Amino acid sequence: MAHLVQVGLGSGGMSVIDMLVRDLRISKVTLIEPDLLKPHNLPRHLLSSDNVGKSKLLSAVKWLKDRNANLEIVSIEAFLQDPDKQEQIHKAIKDANFGVCAVDNEEAKYQWCSLMRQHGIPWTLGEVLSGGIGGFVHTFVPGGPCYACACSYLKREGPKDSKDLEPDYSNPSGQVEEARIPASFASIQSIASLHALATLDLLDAKIVPSSFLLPLQKVEGIFSESLKKIVVNVSKNENCLFCCRSTEVVADVDDLLQKKLKELSGGLGL
Ligand SMILES: [Zn+2]
């Protein structure tokens, strides 16, 4: 029986977890989310208007229990970076078999990636592009390219299938105005379904890194065709500051320096 840990219960995250808990091999989920449901969330969220003003997390727990009564749910109502909750978050992740990231702010994605790496947990990330024109689904595995490697690759190559891209749709939370058009519920559900499938692959022990982009619309100058999967061959960036410097190496820098200084001073007879 598997334990899934997920951060984010926005429109995408709620749909992903809704699909996943119907697989009875998942016996336990830990959910991390700090927000209340707001009226503007309703057009894209599974939760109904009765839940407006209430905790997304507690409303989600009720929703999920209705669908899988035997599911054990651990709720952590907090931002991922909340210093007071780090012990609880680490404990939950340590006990988990795989993770799902469904947040849209970059800082939280990097933080999640770091937590997953520290505990050696495979995880998936879904990203709906602005305007719902398509979306990415990534699977990260221990020892493989990390989220920073993927970002660095995407900035270099771009996600497009045509050469002249203007707005940076590779960054779903980017600053380009065109990149902030809300996605439709249908687009969010489409990418959430693919995200859930990629996560179920982990459950089936298909633990391989992968990243792909699925255009959901034909967009002049961006995607020449809709529904044509674009495989993104992210490789490990040997200069990645995140995954190519182990935490031990960083922690040992001082020790190494002291050792070297000692050797030098010994050698010089000081
Ligand atoms: Zn990396």
Side-chain angles (χ1 to χ4, degrees):
M1 299 307 268
H3 175 194
L4 163 73
V5 58
Q6 173 167 330
V7 63
L9 291 168
S11 47
M14 185 64 205
S15 297
V16 172
I17 191 68
D18 171 61
M19 292 176 213
L20 291 175
V21 301
R22 293 159 196 262
D23 190 310
L24 300 181
R25 290 173 296 173
I26 299 175
S27 56
K28 179 176 177 182
V29 295
T30 294
L31 302 172
I32 307 165
E33 165 65 52
D35 288 341
L36 304 180
L37 189 75
K38 303 197 178 69
H40 74 259
N41 297 138
L42 286 178
R44 285 175 288 281
H45 209 285
L46 285 181
L47 291 174
S48 66
S49 58
D50 307 351
N51 299 291
V52 168
K54 296 181 188 166
S55 148
K56 278 182 188 170
L57 183 61
L58 297 182
S59 303
V61 168
K62 186 179 178 310
W63 173 284
L64 299 173
K65 280 277 190 188
D66 280 348
R67 275 131 192 103
N68 181 346
N70 295 321
L71 188 69
E72 180 185 348
I73 306 180
V74 176
S75 308
I76 304 179
E77 196 158 21
F79 286 102
L80 193 58
Q81 300 93 322
D82 187 339
D84 296 338
K85 299 283 179 165
Q86 291 310 302
E87 197 183 331
Q88 197 184 358
I89 290 172
H90 273 275
K91 194 167 164 253
I93 292 175
K94 200 175 168 189
D95 177 58
N97 304 103
F98 56 114
V100 164
C101 182
V103 292
D104 59 8
N105 84 78
E106 289 302 299
E107 195 188 333
K109 286 182 202 171
Y110 277 99
Q111 172 78 4
W112 185 254
C113 181
S114 162
L115 288 165
M116 294 288 104
R117 218 169 46 253
Q118 283 174 52
H119 293 282
I121 312 276
W123 61 286
T124 56
L125 168 68
E127 300 177 297
V128 179
L129 299 188
S130 317
I133 62 168
F136 284 100
V137 176
H138 306 274
T139 300
F140 298 102
V141 309
C146 74
Y147 178 64
C149 292
C151 286
S152 130
Y153 180 88
L154 290 171
K155 274 177 196 151
R156 198 168 63 237
E157 302 290 334
K160 64 217 182 271
D161 66 354
S162 65
K163 297 291 171 206
D164 45 353
L165 180 70
E166 258 316 296
D168 179 14
Y169 284 92
S170 67
N171 183 355
S173 45
Q175 297 306 305
V176 180
E177 196 175 339
E178 294 87 328
R180 284 191 244 124
I181 307 160
S184 66
F185 183 71
S187 299
I188 292 166
Q189 292 296 309
S190 303
I191 300 304
S193 300
L194 296 170
H195 187 182
L197 285 171
T199 311
L200 290 173
D201 275 349
L202 294 178
L203 198 56
D204 289 329
K206 293 176 194 159
I207 303 179
V208 284
S210 89
S211 285
F212 67 86
L213 169 62
L214 188 74
L216 295 173
Q217 291 172 31
K218 181 179 171 183
V219 180
E220 193 70 37
I222 311 285
F223 299 133
S224 56
E225 219 176 305
S226 93
L227 303 179
K228 186 179 168 190
K229 179 179 168 181
I230 300 167
V231 174
V232 185
N233 288 312
V234 177
S235 53
K236 205 168 164 80
N237 174 359
E238 294 307 325
N239 297 317
C240 179
L241 291 175
F242 294 87
C243 67
C244 289
R245 280 169 64 187
S246 72
T247 45
E248 296 84 46
V249 170
V250 177
D252 285 350
V253 165
D254 264 2
D255 284 354
L256 282 172
L257 186 62
Q258 293 305 326
K259 214 169 151 188
K260 271 284 164 214
L261 285 171
K262 247 182 210 163
E263 277 173 25
L264 279 172
S265 58
L268 292 170
L270 298 171

